[in-house]
Amino acid sequence: MKRVIAIAVTLIVTSAPVAFAQTSSTVSLAEVARKEEARRKTTKKATRVITNASLGAVDDAAAVAPPPSTGTTSKDTAAANTSPTIPGGTGGPVDPAEKKDQAYWQGRIGNARLELSRTQMFAESLQTRINSLKTDFVNRDNRVEREKIQQDLNAALAELERLKTEVEKQKKAIVAIEDEARRAGVPAGWLRPQE
């Protein structure tokens, strides 16, 4: 009996620093999650794909038309998008279908897949944190500590639900891009993941 008690005390004493270390590292994960979410909200989506071919066609920096400013109306933006000039060319209008080349489709589907991958990775790390918090909760006897862990656990569970919804939305966006490309007659190879 004394051996069992000695082993139990030894396990509790040695696992306490591990549990504390897990708690302190999981707090930083939540902080990282908030910062990443704030960064995503402030980052603007790419509006133009630049390839080596498009860079080689530019003879002069003045030949490239600047993007419309934020003060333009939707009519000005639509006019700018439907009749851009060809850099180094005749200055005539470009067919909008010509702008949607392989680089356009690969960039678009690649960005969508990258966002999905990031969100899934974040959800997986959040699930790990939830598992750690559940273990921590069971192993604590102090009521105050358990309440704090329960609050953190509830917040993490709510964030995980939000991420699951985001993952589904991103999957639907990828399917929509693939459908749009199929309707536009884009070769299937253009949409395959790049190695």
Side-chain angles (χ1 to χ4, degrees):
M1 184 68 171
K2 289 182 181 180
R3 282 179 138 179
V4 173
I5 294 172
I7 291 172
V9 169
T10 304
L11 286 174
I12 292 172
V13 169
T14 57
S15 65
V18 172
F20 179 74
Q22 286 178 345
T23 304
S24 65
S25 68
T26 56
V27 171
S28 65
L29 180 61
E31 189 175 314
V32 169
R34 282 187 224 103
K35 287 180 181 177
E36 176 64 15
E37 184 178 359
R39 184 195 66 80
R40 285 184 185 174
K41 287 180 181 178
T42 59
T43 304
K44 295 180 180 177
K45 299 288 183 194
T47 58
R48 184 183 209 185
V49 177
I50 299 174
T51 63
N52 287 338
S54 65
L55 288 176
V58 177
D59 293 330
D60 185 16
V64 178
S69 66
T70 56
T72 60
T73 65
S74 59
K75 290 181 181 178
D76 295 338
T77 306
N81 288 338
T82 57
S83 61
T85 59
I86 301 172
T90 60
V94 175
D95 182 23
E98 288 179 1
K99 293 193 300 187
K100 295 183 179 182
D101 60 354
Q102 182 176 359
Y104 168 81
W105 288 105
Q106 286 178 342
R108 189 166 170 204
I109 195 79
N111 287 340
R113 286 182 179 140
L114 181 63
E115 284 297 316
L116 175 63
S117 173
R118 285 179 181 164
T119 305
Q120 287 173 330
M121 191 180 329
F122 182 56
E124 289 170 5
S125 64
L126 194 58
Q127 182 63 54
T128 302
R129 179 173 191 262
I130 289 169
N131 295 342
S132 174
L133 286 170
K134 286 180 179 179
T135 303
D136 243 4
F137 183 81
V138 170
N139 292 328
R140 299 286 181 182
D141 290 332
N142 186 330
R143 183 179 56 84
V144 175
E145 290 177 348
R146 287 177 68 115
E147 287 176 3
K148 173 66 174 132
I149 293 170
Q150 185 64 45
Q151 289 173 355
D152 291 345
L153 181 61
N154 290 341
L157 288 169
E159 180 67 11
L160 184 62
E161 285 303 312
R162 187 193 68 77
L163 287 174
K164 286 180 180 178
T165 304
E166 185 70 22
V167 164
E168 290 304 313
K169 190 166 59 169
Q170 289 172 346
K171 285 180 179 179
K172 288 178 183 177
I174 289 173
V175 170
I177 292 170
E178 290 170 344
D179 288 343
E180 182 184 345
R182 200 172 304 116
R183 284 191 303 271
V186 172
W190 290 7
L191 298 178
R192 287 193 187 111
Q194 300 299 311
E195 302 278 324

